C-alpha cells in the first residue's frame, strides 16, 4: 500500500459514495441516450441511424481503447486519468445539452466520451484498490458494483421519465451536474503511484485496438441483424490472439509490454475475470429480453417496464451492500457459487412464469431471487480479482477486468436479443404454416408481416395493423402472436441461464484454490 494513502484501511464513506456516483453516471449515460433516440432525432433534425451510429461509436471507442487507457493511467497518474475521464464525460453531457446537430454528438458524446470511459473504468478500480484495503475495500467494490447495476436497470426509467415529461437535454445536464459534484470531492482521493516501466508498447497497443475493436464491432453488427458478423469477430479474435503472442514474446525478450502476460499465470485472476464476464453476460441477456417482453407482450411503456424490472436492480443493490459490509465468515468462492445458483433459480422460475404472466407483478419473486444472486456476485468478484494485485500492476489488471465485463455485457445484450428475434421469426413461421384458419396462399405473407412488423408490437397495436382483415384472420394472427412471444423469451433466457451455469462450474473451481491474499495484508502479493 502506498505511503500516500495512510487512511486506506479506514472506510471513507463520502469518497465511497462519490466513486459510486461516478460509476452510476458512466453506466446510466448510454441508457438515457437509448431511450431518447426519437426525441433527439426530432429536436436536432437528424436520423435514427445517425444517432444509433453515435451510440455504437461510443461503445466501440470505449472498448477498443480500454487496455490502452489502463496504461495511460500508469503513465500520467491514476488520479489524473480519473479526472480526465470524468471531464470527457462532462464534455459529452454538455454537448448533448447544447447540441443543434449530430456532429457535436459524434465528436464529444461518442468519441470523447468513449475515450473518457476507457480512462475512467480502470483508473477508478485502481483508485479503489489504493485508497481502501481489507473490509473497507470490499465494501467499496460492492457499493460501486451495485451502483452500476442500479444504473443499468433504472437508466431507461430515468431517461424515459425525464424525456417524456421534461426534455432529454435536462437528463444530460443533470449528468454534468453530478460529475461536477464528484469532481468537487477529488481532494479526498490519494493517488496510487506507479513505479514500473514507462516504455510504451506501440504494437501491443495497436493489436489491442484491432482485437477489442473487431470483436465489439462484430457484436454491434450482430445486434443490428445484418453485416459480416463472423468476419469482424474473426478479425477481432485474431487480433486478440496476436496480442497474446506478442505480449509473451516481448516479456521473454525483457521489453516493454502493454500489459504483463504473467497476470494470466495466476489462477485466481483468470477465474475472477472469467466469472466477471459470465456475470455480465447473464445480466446483459436478462436486461435486454425482459424490457422487450414487457413492452411487446404486456404493452408497457418504458416507464412501466422500468418499474417492473426495478425489483431485480434494487435487490441486487441491497444485497451487494449487505454482503460488502458483512464480516468475512464465508469464503468468496462460496458466495459466488450461491450467487450463480440463485441467479439460475430466479431465471428458471421466469421461464415458467412468463407464459402465465398477465402483469409485471408476477415477475416480482423470480426477479428478486435473481437480483439477490447478482448482488452476491457484485459484492465479491471485483474484490476477489483485484485485491491481491500489487499497486504497480493494478491498472493493467483493472483494464483486463473492465474489458472482460464490458465484453460480457455487450455479448449478452447482442446475443440474447438476436436469439429472441430469431426465435420469434421461426415460431411465427411454424405456427402460421400449421394454422388451419389462415388460407394457404396467405400463410407466408402473415409470417413475414409478423416477423418484420410485429416484433416489438403488443397485441393491441397488432390489431390496429390488421383492422382491414376478416375477423377470423385477425383472431388467428393475434393467437399466433400471443403464443410465439413467450416462447421466444423462454428461448432467449437460456442464454443468461447457460452463462450462470458456466459461472457455477467456475465457482466450484474457485473453491478448489486458496483465497487470494489482499495486497495490503503484509503477505506476498500477486505480481508484487
Amino acid at each position: 500500500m502506498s505511503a500516500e494513502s495512510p487512511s486506506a484501511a479506514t472506510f471513507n464513506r463520502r469518497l465511497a459514495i462519490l466513486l459510486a456516483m461516478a460509476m452510476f453516471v458512466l453506466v446510466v449515460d448510454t441508457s438515457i441516450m437509448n431511450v431518447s433516440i426519437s426525441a433527439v432525432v426530432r429536436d436536432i433534425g437528424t436520423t435514427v441511424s445517425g444517432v444509433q451510429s453515435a451510440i455504437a461509436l461510443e461503445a466501440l471507442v470505449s472498448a477498443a481503447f480500454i487496455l490502452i487507457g489502463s496504461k495511460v493511467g500508469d503513465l500520467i497518474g491514476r488520479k489524473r486519468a480519473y479526472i480526465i475521464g470524468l471531464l470527457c464525460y462532462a464534455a459529452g453531457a454538455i454537448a448533448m445539452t447544447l447540441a443543434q446537430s449530430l456532429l457535436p454528438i459524434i465528436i464529444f458524446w461518442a468519441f470523447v466520451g468513449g475515450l473518457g470511459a476507457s480512462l475512467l473504468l480502470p483508473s477508478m478500480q485502481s483508485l479503489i484498490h489504493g485508497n481502501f484495503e481489507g473490509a473497507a475495500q470490499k465494501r467499496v467494490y460492492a457499493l460501486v458494483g451495485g451502483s452500476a447495476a442500479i444504473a443499468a436497470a433504472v437508466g431507461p426509467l430515468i431517461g424515459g421519465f425525464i424525456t417524456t415529461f421534461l426534455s432529454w437535454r435536462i437528463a444530460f445536464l443533470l449528468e454534468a451536474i453530478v460529475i461536477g459534484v464528484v469532481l468537487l470531492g477529488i481532494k479526498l482521493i490519494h493517488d496510487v503511484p506507479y513505479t514500473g516501466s514507462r516504455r510504451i508498447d506501440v504494437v501491443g497497443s495497436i493489436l489491442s485496438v484491432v482485437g477489442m475493436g473487431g470483436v465489439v464491432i462484430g457484436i454491434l453488427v450482430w445486434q443490428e441483424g445484418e453485416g459480416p458478423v463472423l468476419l469482424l469477430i474473426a478479425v477481432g479474435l485474431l487480433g486478440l490472439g496476436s496480442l497474446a503472442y506478442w505480449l509473451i514474446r516481448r516479456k521473454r525478450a525483457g521489453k516493454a509490454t502493454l500489459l504483463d502476460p504473467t497476470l494470466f499465470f495466476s489462477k485466481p485472476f483468470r477465474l475472477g475475470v472469467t466469472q466477471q464476464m459470465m456475470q455480465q453476460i447473464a445480466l446483459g441477456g436478462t436486461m435486454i429480453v425482459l424490457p422487450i417482453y414487457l413492452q411487446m407482450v404486456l404493452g408497457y411503456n418504458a416507464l412501466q417496464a422500468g418499474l417492473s424490472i426495478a425489483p431485480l436492480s434494487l435487490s441486487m443493490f441491497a444485497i451487494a451492500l449487505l454482503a460488502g459490509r458483512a464480516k468475512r465468515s464465508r469464503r468468496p468462492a462460496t458466495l459466488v457459487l450461491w450467487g450463480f445458483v440463485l441467479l439460475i433459480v430466479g431465471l428458471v422460475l421466469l421461464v415458467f412464469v412468463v407464459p402465465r404472466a398477465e402483469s409485471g407483478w408476477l415477475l416480482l419473486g423470480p426477479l428478486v431471487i435473481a437480483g439477490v444472486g447478482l448482488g452476491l456476485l457484485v459484492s465479491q468478484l471485483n474484490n476477489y480479482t483485484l485485491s491481491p494485485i500489487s499497486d504497480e500492476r493494478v491498472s493493467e489488471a483493472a483494464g483486463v477486468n473492465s474489458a472482460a465485463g464490458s465484453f460480457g455485457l455487450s455479448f449478452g445484450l447482442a446475443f440474447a436479443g438476436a436469439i429472441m428475434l430469431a426465435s420469434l421469426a421461426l415460431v411465427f413461421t411454424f405456427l402460421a404454416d400449421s394454422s388451419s384458419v389462415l388460407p394457404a396462399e396467405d400463410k407466408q405473407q402473415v409470417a413475414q408481416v409478423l416477423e418484420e412488423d410485429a416484433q416489438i408490437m403488443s397485441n393491441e397495436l397488432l390489431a390496429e395493423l390488421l383492422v382491414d382483415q376478416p375477423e377470423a384472420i385477425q383472431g388467428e394472427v393475434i393467437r399466433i402472436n400471443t403464443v410465439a412471444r413467450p416462447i421466444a423469451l423462454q428461448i432467449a433466457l437460456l442464454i443468461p441461464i447457460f452463462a450462470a451455469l458456466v459461472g457455477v462450474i467456475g465457482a466450484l473451481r474457485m473453491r478448489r484454490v486458496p483465497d487470494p491474499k489482499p495486497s495490503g495484508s503484509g503477505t506476498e502479493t500477486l505480481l508484487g
Side-chain angles (χ1 to χ4, degrees), residues 118-133:
S118 70
L119 287 170
L120 192 56
L121 275 169
S123 63
M124 184 187 300
Q125 294 187 24
S126 300
L127 290 171
I128 294 172
H129 183 280
N131 284 262
F132 301 90
E133 66 180 40

Side-chain angles (χ1 to χ4, degrees), residues 200-208 238-261:
I200 299 175
D201 178 8
V202 176
V203 174
S205 299
I206 294 172
L207 289 174
S208 75
L238 179 62
L240 291 176
S242 300
L243 174 63
Y245 172 77
W246 174 259
L247 294 176
I248 293 172
R249 179 182 172 185
R250 295 273 290 185
K251 180 70 175 179
R252 288 173 178 171
K255 298 179 180 179
T257 57
L258 177 66
L259 58 90
D260 193 333

